[in-house]
Amino acid sequence: MSTRVPLAEDFVNGDVSFWYRSLGIPTPGTPLPGDRDADVAIVGAGYTGLWTAYYLKKADPGLRIVILEKEFAGYGASGRNGGWLVGELAGTAERYAKTHGAPAAKRLQRVMFESIDEVIATARDEAIDADIVKGGVTTVATNAAQDRRLRELLAHERHWGWTEEDVRLLEPDERESRLRVAGAVSAIWSPHCARIQPAKLALGLARAVRDLGVEIFERTPVTEIVPHEARTPRGTVRADYVIRATEGFTAELKQYHRAWLPMNSSMIVTEPLGDLWDEIGWEGCELLGDMAHYYMYAQRTADGRIAFGGRGKPYLYGSRVDDRGHTHEWTVEALWELLTGMFPAVRASKVAHAWSGVLGVPRDWCSTVHLDHATGIGWAGGYTGHGVTTTNLAGRTLRDLVLRRDTELVSLPWVGRRVRGWEVEPLRWIGVHTMYGLYRRADAREKAGLGRTSVLARVADTITGR
């Protein structure tokens, strides 16, 4: 690793995430012992699969539910993410409104806000200690172009029903009293976000569903999903319903190879900062994001570190997934430079861990949940980085779809949404790498003094369909 980044003596690159390192990486449990019959088979033991099993079993304790997981429960994005339990839509209100109308899009947004409290309440009820603090989220602008976008974002959210109680512009004094970001020009704050320790939530959910009688078979990769069957090298699970809950790993299933793009995100975490917090502030434990195109996301951890993430290593040709979590040197350097640029005091600290993970991105960047009663095949995902909250809503929605309940959840505009697949290679690789390059150059131009959003970023949005 480059000497430009100070590394702790016990620095680790990869190995799932710091969240698991701090707890102890779980040993995968029992694999599927052979063919099996079930009422519901769930492929993937991340948040989507676990929430779906939880709500189904609570609603109907007699259901036979089997979860099949390639590694261990919470191994993927559920155990690697930035710990943002945030209420933002996984997609745009405009796109949901185009198919279902503005009131439906606004209703989906309100249900997302409510889902934050649903997660918090369930964690409390199930005695899951996931370091949850609902301190909201602060989004900062650090140059004139970002400030302009931030104010446009605020106006956009007002248009879609966000009130002053949902999001507001911070006055400079309040902004500085919350957390002191070097070079901050403006900031908005929303109460609709909570900090979590992702691995603790994943492990807690896995324990809760096992306690309810759900079987989780680990070290059991699913190679094919067909009507009423999930096929693995260890046997086939036959079920009335088969739920695909594979998110960033979806492209590994041949028939869904172009459904969702596996996009990388990377994180670093500092050593405990101790007295450095006096210079930084951040006593409220709100989450922190910015208005850059090559955006960042951060939290103050329960043990006094900064966990800091952003766009990660490049997309791999053919939608391949590097599931070991190793992070490129230049990515670690970029995250460190951004972190210390925002908080110069952190230069006195060191990086303790770096890791990466994949998230699922649909072609229109909008999440979907669906169930076909004829084939029994259902799915939820394509969260584009907003999955910590959206997975909970997905689990409750899939419960109602499986049980054929006529509820508000099954009428929300992301239910049954159909999206075309991504382009064939090499077009996918060219498009994604072009996007990354254009966003980096756009941020550099804006940082250098461009007072408006760079046209390069608009070109990147057009290429990728954002």
Side-chain angles (χ1 to χ4, degrees):
M1 187 65 67
S2 169
T3 57
R4 293 174 56 187
V5 180
L7 305 177
E9 290 185 7
D10 59 348
F11 171 77
V12 174
N13 191 332
D15 290 347
V16 189
S17 69
F18 169 77
W19 308 121
Y20 277 116
R21 177 186 174 188
S22 65
L23 302 174
I25 299 175
T27 300
T30 304
L32 181 71
D35 292 348
R36 210 172 197 84
D37 293 327
D39 297 307
V40 181
I42 298 172
V43 181
Y47 289 153
T48 300
L50 294 171
W51 280 124
T52 302
Y54 177 82
Y55 286 111
L56 276 170
K57 198 69 170 174
K58 294 285 280 189
D60 186 348
L63 286 175
R64 297 168 301 162
I65 301 175
V66 169
I67 302 178
L68 303 171
E69 167 58 43
K70 180 180 179 181
E71 300 286 349
F72 59 79
Y75 177 84
S78 299
R80 301 172 192 257
N81 65 80
W84 281 45
L85 184 62
V86 67
E88 296 175 10
L89 286 180
T92 67
E94 286 84 356
R95 285 178 176 166
Y96 292 120
K98 186 175 181 179
T99 56
H100 289 73
K106 291 178 180 179
R107 187 168 70 251
L108 176 58
Q109 179 61 79
R110 286 293 151 189
V111 173
M112 280 291 295
F113 288 160
E114 294 164 3
S115 296
I116 298 170
D117 293 324
E118 171 68 17
V119 173
I120 294 171
T122 304
R124 181 185 62 245
D125 293 345
E126 296 295 341
I128 300 172
D129 180 7
D131 299 338
I132 300 175
V133 178
K134 192 179 181 184
V137 55
T138 295
T139 305
V140 299
T142 57
N143 57 51
Q146 289 187 23
D147 176 60
R148 189 169 177 174
R149 281 199 300 279
L150 182 141
R151 295 174 191 276
E152 290 171 352
L153 173 64
L154 183 60
H156 175 270
E157 290 174 338
R158 288 280 184 267
H159 173 76
W160 287 102
W162 293 49
T163 68
E164 186 77 10
E165 293 182 351
D166 297 315
V167 62
R168 61 186 174 84
L169 187 69
L170 296 177
E171 295 297 329
D173 288 347
E174 183 180 5
R175 185 186 74 224
E176 292 298 304
S177 68
R178 285 182 173 274
L179 68 170
R180 292 179 285 280
V181 176
V185 176
S186 58
I188 55 176
W189 178 81
S190 169
H192 299 300
C193 192
R195 179 197 75 187
I196 68 162
Q197 207 278 32
K200 286 186 177 181
L201 179 60
L203 293 176
L205 281 175
R207 185 260 305 159
V209 299
R210 285 187 173 107
D211 288 348
L212 289 170
V214 173
E215 293 183 293
I216 302 177
F217 294 110
E218 299 174 315
R219 294 179 289 175
T220 305
V222 171
T223 55
E224 188 178 13
I225 295 172
V226 299
H228 308 293
E229 290 186 0
R231 297 173 178 173
T232 87
R234 299 180 177 276
T236 295
V237 177
R238 293 172 292 272
D240 295 333
Y241 296 100
V242 179
I243 305 299
R244 191 186 84 225
T246 47
E247 189 55 3
F249 296 93
T250 299
E252 295 186 333
L253 291 165
K254 186 176 180 180
Q255 73 255 55
Y256 303 112
H257 185 67
R258 289 165 52 198
W260 295 332
L261 190 87
M263 190 166 289
N264 291 291
S265 192
S266 299
M267 296 196 73
I268 60 174
V269 67
T270 68
E271 295 177 316
L273 297 184
D275 293 340
L276 297 178
W277 287 112
D278 294 337
E279 297 183 50
I280 297 169
W282 213 339
E283 295 180 2
C285 293
E286 64 261 48
L287 287 300
L288 174 66
D290 74 351
M291 292 300 298
H293 305 292
Y294 214 78
Y295 57 82
M296 51 71 59
Y297 51 92
Q299 69 152 277
R300 175 175 177 167
T301 68
D303 62 347
R305 307 167 187 261
I306 294 179
F308 194 93
R311 295 187 189 274
K313 59 189 178 184
Y315 163 79
L316 299 177
Y317 191 89
S319 291
R320 289 181 294 112
V321 175
D322 175 8
D323 59 4
R324 298 298 105 182
H326 186 273
T327 302
H328 284 256
E329 179 177 323
W330 69 263
T331 301
V332 177
E333 290 179 352
L335 291 173
W336 176 253
E337 289 302 314
L338 187 53
L339 168 59
T340 55
M342 300 179 86
F343 301 110
V346 176
R347 293 193 182 103
S349 181
K350 296 178 180 179
V351 175
H353 198 132
W355 69 97
S356 296
V358 292
L359 50 98
V361 179
R363 192 61 183 87
D364 70 347
W365 295 72
C366 291
S367 299
T368 56
V369 58
H370 180 75
L371 181 65
D372 180 353
H373 285 285
T375 64
I377 296 175
W379 65 81
Y383 303 120
T384 65
H386 295 90
V388 181
T389 306
T390 317
T391 52
N392 176 270
L393 177 57
R396 289 181 287 133
T397 304
L398 284 167
R399 170 201 61 194
D400 291 351
L401 289 169
V402 168
L403 299 179
R404 298 177 183 265
R405 292 179 171 181
D406 184 15
T407 66
E408 178 193 28
L409 297 186
V410 302
S411 68
L412 291 172
W414 73 318
V415 178
R417 185 178 181 86
R418 296 284 185 170
V419 182
R420 70 179 178 90
W422 285 87
E423 289 78 2
V424 297
E425 295 290 21
L427 296 179
R428 286 202 305 279
W429 188 91
I430 292 170
V432 176
H433 280 258
T434 300
M435 175 195 74
Y436 277 120
L438 290 172
Y439 281 149
R440 283 196 297 268
R441 290 167 61 190
D443 281 332
R445 289 186 178 188
E446 292 173 10
K447 184 177 180 180
L450 182 65
R452 53 175 171 76
T453 294
S454 170
V455 67
L456 297 178
R458 300 192 188 282
V459 172
D461 288 345
T462 301
I463 291 173
T464 56
R466 293 192 65 192

